[in-house]
Amino acid sequence: CKFKFCAVGSARELGRESLAQRAMATAQKQAITLKGSVAIVTEFFGYSVNSILYQRGIYPPETFKKVSKYGLTMLVTTDTGLSEYLEQVLGQLSMWLVNKSVQKLVVVVAGQESGKTLERWVFDVRADKQAEGQVVEARPEKELTSEIQAIIRQITASVTFLPLLDEACTFDLLVYTDTDVNVPAAWEESDPKYIAKSEEVKLRSFTTKIHKVDAAVSYLAEDD
């Protein structure tokens, strides 16, 4: 099933002390739990979506601010409405990740006037179904951070290989889940918003040992 969120709520600022940061610290102690892994993956999605929206010009550059994360300078939105929207989506995503019900998160970029899907940023998620209630041997923080850095750098470099977006664009966040999940009323089932004629660029991946995330971006192929 594919769902998108259709409401907003209260926001908390990305970048403050978080469960993900505590999970990273726990990883330094050679162990990670399901909830710790979920926190790392959810936080990664938050920064990735912000980076995509900035790099692809979906929101004006002046509505982003610089923060330090993953040993990189990241850009996160200061737009209140967008912050609230992302907070709600990531909150629900986190709950589904704890239940190991998430298959993928997709950022869809579409032309505002044409309605045509121009880009699909796909983050496939695979969870260790045996991880419930277990403490798993963690990967070294430096290795995990390095893998996440690689994906973020590829998103930043996307302007060098993706076609120019020559019209104002909007975006949707789609979450692919198992069919038996509980879906809040604020969410609705969505079509996949595929691109009729597309090309794909595979991006890097990272794993916490409990969750593995593979990334790719497909875009509307230019006519010959």
Side-chain angles (χ1 to χ4, degrees):
C1 294
K2 299 164 288 294
F3 299 101
K4 67 178 182 179
F5 182 67
C6 301
V8 298
S10 61
R12 293 190 300 275
E13 181 181 334
L14 279 169
R16 67 175 59 180
E17 173 66 23
S18 65
L19 180 57
Q21 289 169 302
R22 293 195 295 274
M24 284 286 199
T26 301
Q28 288 183 302
K29 300 174 183 177
Q30 309 306 313
I32 189 168
T33 63
L34 172 60
K35 287 186 177 180
S37 178
V38 165
I40 291 169
V41 173
T42 302
E43 186 172 63
F44 162 77
F45 282 148
Y47 283 105
S48 295
V49 172
N50 269 276
S51 294
I52 291 166
L53 298 181
Y54 175 81
Q55 296 297 337
R56 304 309 289 145
I58 312 302
Y59 280 76
E62 61 270 19
T63 63
F64 290 81
K65 67 178 181 180
K66 294 180 180 180
V67 299
S68 179
K69 186 66 182 177
Y70 309 124
L72 301 171
T73 298
M74 306 289 295
L75 288 146
V76 297
T77 184
T78 59
D79 182 282
T80 303
L82 178 57
S83 294
E84 291 173 348
Y85 169 79
L86 293 177
E87 183 64 30
Q88 289 284 353
V89 171
L90 294 174
Q92 182 59 54
L93 178 70
S94 178
M95 286 187 273
W96 282 333
L97 283 167
V98 167
N99 294 327
K100 297 186 285 293
S101 300
V102 176
Q103 299 170 4
K104 65 182 69 179
L105 173 74
V106 181
V107 182
V108 177
V109 177
Q112 192 166 10
E113 290 190 13
S114 67
K116 186 182 298 183
T117 299
L118 303 175
E119 295 175 3
R120 293 179 89 251
W121 295 79
V122 180
F123 299 91
D124 286 304
V125 181
R126 282 179 284 173
D128 180 356
K129 299 293 185 180
Q130 308 303 316
E132 185 72 40
Q134 297 182 11
V135 176
V136 177
E137 181 182 358
R139 303 183 61 218
E141 181 186 4
K142 186 176 180 180
E143 288 183 9
L144 178 56
T145 300
S146 178
E147 290 180 351
I148 293 175
Q149 281 179 339
I151 301 175
I152 297 297
R153 286 191 172 112
Q154 287 179 310
I155 294 172
T156 301
S158 64
V159 293
T160 65
F161 62 81
L162 291 177
L164 179 68
L165 296 174
D166 56 5
E167 65 173 306
C169 293
T170 61
F171 83 100
D172 271 322
L173 292 181
L174 309 183
V175 181
Y176 285 59
T177 68
D178 296 340
T179 57
D180 58 350
V181 299
N182 292 320
V183 182
W187 290 70
E188 65 179 24
E189 192 158 2
S190 171
D191 71 83
K193 301 183 184 293
Y194 289 131
I195 302 172
K197 181 184 176 185
S198 67
E199 295 184 12
E200 184 181 63
V201 177
K202 291 286 188 184
L203 306 178
R204 301 292 291 273
S205 63
F206 79 90
T207 178
T208 66
K209 282 196 171 180
I210 295 177
H211 291 95
K212 183 179 182 185
V213 178
D214 294 295
V217 57
S218 57
Y219 57 91
L220 183 65
E222 296 179 347
D223 294 329
D224 296 330

